[in-house]
Amino acid sequence: MSTEQVSMAPMAESIKQIASHPLCPVTASEIKRSAELIKNLYPPKTKFQFKAITLEEPEKAQLVPYLEAEHKGAKLPKIDRKIFVSYYLRNTDKFHEAIVNLSWDRVESNIRLGANIHGPGDWEEILLIEKIALEDQGVKAEIAKLGLPEGTAIVSDPWMYGSDGVDDDRRMYQCFLYMRDPNDPANLDSNHYAFPLAISPVVDCIEWKVVRIDLCPTGAGFETKPSQSLSIPPPNEYSADHQKLRTDLKPLNVVQPDGASFKVAQLGETGQVIEWQKWSFRVGFNQREGMVLYDVRYTGRSLFYRLALSDMNIPYADPRPPFHKKAAFDLGDAGAGTMANNLKLGCDCLGSIHYLSAVLSTDEGDVQPMDNVVCVHEQDAGIGWKHTNYRTGIAGIVRSRELVVQSIITVANYEYIMAFIFNQAGEITYEVRATGIISTQPIDEGVEVPWGTIVHPGVLATHHQHIFSLRVDPAIDGHANSLAYDEVHPIPISEFNPHGIGYTVTETTVQQSAGLDTDYNTNRTYKIQNNFSRNPVNGKPVAYKIHAPAFQKMVADPSSFHHKRAEFADNNIYVTKYHGDELFAGGKYTNQSRGGAGVRTWADRKENVVDDDIVVWVQFGLQHVVRIEDFPVMPCEIIKVSLKPMNFFDKNPALDVPPSNQDFNRSTEVTKKHMQPSVEAKVGECCAPASSKL
């Protein structure tokens, strides 16, 4: 890593900050000015390829006092507005990261990064790689050998090259080729994943040319064969115009006649603060993480300083080249912000919707508007709590309502629907719905392999994992927090426990940064707690416990690049001491990474994490053993992580939610054949009392 000469503007009078709050996402004018200041460091004809121009969040030591002053209505301290920029000198391997201080209108630092550190892809680059692969004469010659019908459209999916330690120092893409239905070549939405080809060009990102054409194995072994005439299977389309659609569905409308119950305050050009019920939080948006939540509070009490999906890794199971390198880091390699969908009314979100938009940077350092990348809405979540007094037949019942903050990303073939969900009982759930189209490859007729499923004639879908890391920066009644876990153990049979039915709960506090696992045999449950803030009823530390589903951790061998690169994928929980530049569990730069720069490495420092400023990393995911029902488009697979209050309140915090009743909910009966209640319901009650038998 080397530091280059930086031109500093005179330290004269500070210029006016552009954004109104230190956590406001980057604005269009900030993107343009930051790019301009970087360009001014170089000769006039220098060409740039910008990878990110995004908010450099203030140091926590500065921001925490600012937030506290803000909530108290006190005078706000001044914080410089800084922007993080990463870029290449175009057509070279010279990759840089810089900090631009817009408050002083200068470049504060500009560093050229070292070998084997590569920037992520960007939209313009991906389109360019597609074009280079398809226009290469060698690739065209290989395609010609397939004897495809004239006019057949070929499609290229560029993948990050991955790492295997073999001639992978230069930044490259591995392209996988498909064709659209030869009988319908004009249909741009044809499912080309039903027609995979065994031709895989490799494109160099310095010379911008195809440097190698890999032929893919299509049998059960490593052998490849020369390109030859293909037998073309039938199409397998997912779009509605290719289906005989059901006709027995009637409308189900989500209607809120008085509008939504949440409020969105627009602060500055890009700032959004949301208040709903007793919740308040700020929403950010950036190229890599997409949605970020800051300063999450309930009834004004601090809960979380920052919440965001930190990383995800999708390692594939086919051990044969070139498939052995398939291990996507969709956030680090592409970006949840960059790949975010423009959400549509009545499709992606239902009810009374508020949309949040953003601006991102292009590879030229210009502005890319990102409209409707986050939707905010309420949804019914069934019964929140209920109790019927069987002596009187009177039911107390509350329906649970949730606030959903949702974004959807498309990463080539796959979609992820990601949402923070808040309920009225103080709980936050992070939900991921995995859908889209599975990545496919060709396979010979009659061949089966144990690392994938044949989903269509000549089409293999390789098994793979989806491993996510949720970064939780807690502030449970303050920033001195600890991670502990409870376990349930049986009491040995004794005079005290003669029937052998007793059991106890024990608590263990994690002393040092570490990777940790759940244990469902002991119901090991992790919780983030504040030992200095005690529950007034039972004296226990206030806490939020972590509910995460069981999942199979990284299957690949610890010596593999899959394992080395996905530093978060080998433990259910990581806890580390807070360091401001450690935001991404797999490391800052995942493209063709080698490992050694992520959360596993940070945890190995064995720093104190008791009553300190800590970060908790929650891993979750699924082992996707592919079903034929996952093709041609996959039904949503739903995964959830919940953060639940534990001894944080003095009673159920949803007691004050108004009872559910017909006057409010306006339900209708589909049939009149229901039995009538034996006692007439009282006004305002949801349920009629039944006759008491006692």
Side-chain angles (χ1 to χ4, degrees):
M1 213 181 280
S2 63
T3 303
E4 298 188 344
Q5 184 65 36
V6 178
S7 299
M8 294 290 190
M11 290 283 289
E13 186 178 347
S14 175
I15 66 170
K16 183 180 178 182
Q17 294 193 27
I18 298 172
S20 64
H21 192 282
L23 290 176
C24 284
V26 65
T27 67
S29 57
E30 289 175 329
I31 289 172
K32 292 179 178 180
R33 182 55 182 159
S34 297
E36 184 179 12
L37 288 170
I38 294 296
K39 291 176 181 178
N40 288 344
L41 300 177
Y42 294 89
K45 293 186 178 181
T46 305
K47 294 186 179 298
F48 298 83
Q49 184 183 7
F50 288 95
K51 289 297 181 180
I53 303 177
T54 192
L55 174 66
E56 173 73 5
E57 294 177 11
E59 296 176 6
K60 192 182 257 189
Q62 290 182 302
L63 191 56
V64 169
Y66 185 102
L67 295 174
E68 293 304 318
E70 183 180 41
H71 285 285
K72 293 175 182 177
K75 183 179 179 180
L76 300 177
K78 180 184 175 183
I79 297 179
D80 283 356
R81 181 71 169 177
K82 297 183 181 182
I83 305 299
F84 173 83
V85 182
S86 64
Y87 66 97
Y88 280 96
L89 299 183
R90 195 176 286 274
N91 303 326
T92 76
D93 63 352
K94 296 178 180 180
F95 184 45
H96 300 70
E97 61 179 32
I99 301 297
V100 175
N101 188 324
L102 290 179
S103 297
W104 292 88
D105 201 37
R106 69 181 189 184
V107 178
E108 216 168 68
S109 67
N110 184 46
I111 298 170
R112 179 180 171 184
L113 302 175
N116 295 317
I117 299 177
H118 304 288
D122 58 68
W123 185 244
E124 294 86 0
E125 179 177 89
I126 289 170
L127 295 178
L128 176 61
I129 295 296
E130 286 187 22
K131 182 179 179 182
I132 290 171
L134 295 178
E135 291 183 353
D136 180 78
Q137 293 303 313
V139 173
K140 288 182 177 181
E142 287 295 327
I143 293 172
K145 298 175 185 177
L146 302 179
L148 302 177
E150 189 171 347
T152 299
I154 306 298
V155 179
S156 172
D157 269 16
W159 276 65
M160 296 303 182
Y161 188 75
S163 294
D164 61 1
V166 180
D167 296 328
D168 61 352
D169 293 341
R170 290 167 72 94
R171 194 165 73 93
M172 295 179 284
Y173 279 86
Q174 184 96 44
C175 297
F176 295 100
L177 300 189
Y178 307 83
M179 62 180 174
R180 292 202 290 268
D181 180 5
N183 295 313
D184 191 14
N187 179 11
L188 298 181
D189 288 317
S190 174
N191 177 22
H192 56 269
Y193 297 105
F195 303 97
L197 305 178
I199 302 167
S200 181
V202 175
V203 178
D204 181 276
C205 292
I206 298 174
E207 299 182 22
W208 301 108
K209 68 178 184 180
V210 173
V211 293
R212 191 175 77 243
I213 300 173
D214 292 334
L215 297 180
C216 304
T218 57
F222 280 64
E223 301 79 14
T224 62
K225 53 181 180 251
S227 300
Q228 56 190 316
S229 182
L230 282 183
S231 174
I232 298 175
N236 198 337
E237 305 290 2
Y238 62 88
S239 58
D241 53 357
H242 285 84
Q243 318 302 326
K244 184 178 180 181
L245 300 177
R246 305 178 188 191
T247 59
D248 56 351
L249 277 180
K250 296 183 180 180
L252 195 163
N253 297 322
V254 178
V255 179
Q256 294 180 269
D258 297 328
S261 300
F262 59 85
K263 298 177 182 177
V264 181
Q266 181 78 38
L267 299 179
E269 191 175 330
T270 57
Q272 306 273 358
V273 175
I274 296 177
E275 294 181 351
W276 178 75
Q277 303 287 285
K278 299 179 179 181
W279 290 99
S280 67
F281 53 91
R282 183 179 292 275
V283 182
F285 193 88
N286 63 51
Q287 282 171 286
R288 180 164 179 162
E289 298 161 293
M291 295 185 299
V292 182
L293 303 188
Y294 304 100
D295 194 24
V296 180
R297 296 179 180 241
Y298 191 92
T299 60
R301 292 176 68 181
S302 173
L303 294 180
F304 301 100
Y305 177 78
R306 191 183 194 276
L307 291 172
L309 185 66
S310 166
D311 235 320
M312 70 167 82
N313 179 237
I314 305 92
Y316 283 74
D318 192 333
R320 305 169 302 168
F323 304 120
H324 70 293
K325 296 193 301 293
K326 288 181 71 174
F329 289 81
D330 286 347
L331 268 64
D333 290 353
T338 303
M339 302 297 169
N341 289 190
N342 185 326
L343 305 178
K344 304 295 184 182
L345 278 173
C347 301
D348 301 302
C349 313
L350 301 180
S352 297
I353 311 299
H354 179 82
Y355 290 106
L356 308 181
S357 297
V359 290
L360 299 180
S361 57
T362 69
D363 70 332
E364 296 284 353
D366 207 342
V367 176
Q368 174 64 53
M370 301 291 291
D371 296 332
N372 295 0
V373 287
V374 176
C375 65
V376 184
H377 63 97
E378 295 173 288
Q379 66 185 18
D380 180 86
I383 293 173
W385 62 261
K386 179 176 181 175
H387 176 65
T388 300
N389 185 328
Y390 71 86
R391 292 173 176 81
T392 65
I394 298 295
I397 181 170
V398 162
R399 290 201 70 80
S400 177
R401 187 177 302 191
E402 295 174 334
L403 180 74
V404 181
V405 183
Q406 176 178 284
S407 186
I408 303 175
I409 67 172
T410 298
V411 189
N413 54 297
Y414 224 74
E415 266 77 17
Y416 296 98
I417 303 159
M418 303 178 293
F420 288 100
I421 302 173
F422 300 80
N423 76 8
Q424 294 160 305
E427 178 181 339
I428 303 174
T429 297
Y430 186 75
E431 177 185 278
V432 174
R433 295 177 179 237
T435 180
I437 302 178
I438 47 183
S439 181
T440 60
Q441 60 196 65
I443 191 167
D444 294 337
E445 184 179 354
V447 174
E448 289 192 12
V449 293
W451 52 76
T453 300
I454 295 171
V455 294
H456 189 64
V459 179
L460 175 69
T462 301
H463 306 321
H464 54 279
Q465 295 180 268
H466 300 258
I467 304 175
F468 303 87
S469 181
L470 180 68
R471 185 180 184 274
V472 180
D473 190 339
I476 308 296
D477 269 356
H479 294 270
N481 290 168
S482 300
L483 181 71
Y485 58 86
D486 291 336
E487 291 183 322
V488 176
H489 296 282
I491 300 173
I493 291 180
S494 62
E495 290 184 8
F496 184 76
N497 184 36
H499 301 288
I501 56 83
Y503 61 85
T504 60
V505 178
T506 60
E507 180 184 284
T508 302
T509 299
V510 180
Q511 301 293 315
Q512 295 180 322
S513 57
L516 305 154
D517 287 323
T518 55
D519 182 356
Y520 287 90
N521 292 315
T522 62
N523 194 49
R524 184 182 295 166
T525 304
Y526 289 87
K527 57 187 177 182
I528 306 166
Q529 62 188 29
N530 186 331
N531 294 317
F532 303 107
S533 181
R534 299 278 170 164
N535 187 283
V537 177
N538 59 22
K540 292 182 178 292
V542 298
Y544 261 67
K545 66 177 179 177
I546 301 165
H547 276 202
F551 79 101
Q552 186 175 20
K553 295 178 284 268
M554 173 68 75
V555 179
D557 190 86
S559 66
S560 69
F561 275 93
H562 278 11
H563 189 279
K564 291 175 182 177
R565 300 176 68 205
E567 291 214 359
F568 53 92
D570 57 348
N571 285 110
N572 299 110
I573 299 285
Y574 271 99
V575 58
T576 58
K577 184 180 175 66
Y578 174 85
H579 291 267
D581 59 345
E582 295 176 355
L583 292 175
F584 311 118
K588 196 171 188 179
Y589 299 104
T590 58
N591 185 10
Q592 294 177 229
S593 59
R594 307 295 181 88
V599 69
R600 184 192 301 138
T601 301
W602 306 332
D604 284 345
R605 293 189 297 242
K606 302 301 179 186
E607 294 177 297
N608 173 67
V609 291
V610 178
D611 301 333
D612 211 326
D613 194 356
I614 64 172
V615 177
V616 178
W617 314 75
V618 183
Q619 281 62 246
F620 60 103
L622 61 95
Q623 172 62 264
H624 194 170
V625 176
V626 180
R627 312 170 298 155
I628 197 167
E629 290 86 356
D630 293 330
F631 198 70
V633 67
M634 176 183 164
C636 280
E637 189 82 21
I638 304 173
I639 324 163
K640 296 183 180 183
V641 171
S642 295
L643 303 169
K644 296 174 177 279
M646 187 173 189
N647 300 311
F648 190 83
F649 301 101
D650 60 2
K651 60 184 67 175
N652 179 351
L655 284 176
D656 58 353
V657 177
S660 180
N661 61 68
Q662 174 63 0
D663 287 343
F664 188 79
N665 291 321
R666 303 295 178 116
S667 299
T668 59
E669 291 187 68
V670 175
T671 176
K672 295 294 184 182
K673 294 181 180 180
H674 298 303
M675 294 180 64
Q676 296 299 314
S678 58
V679 180
E680 186 177 4
K682 297 178 182 178
V683 175
E685 291 178 347
C686 181
C687 302
S691 298
S692 174
K693 294 184 179 180
L694 297 180

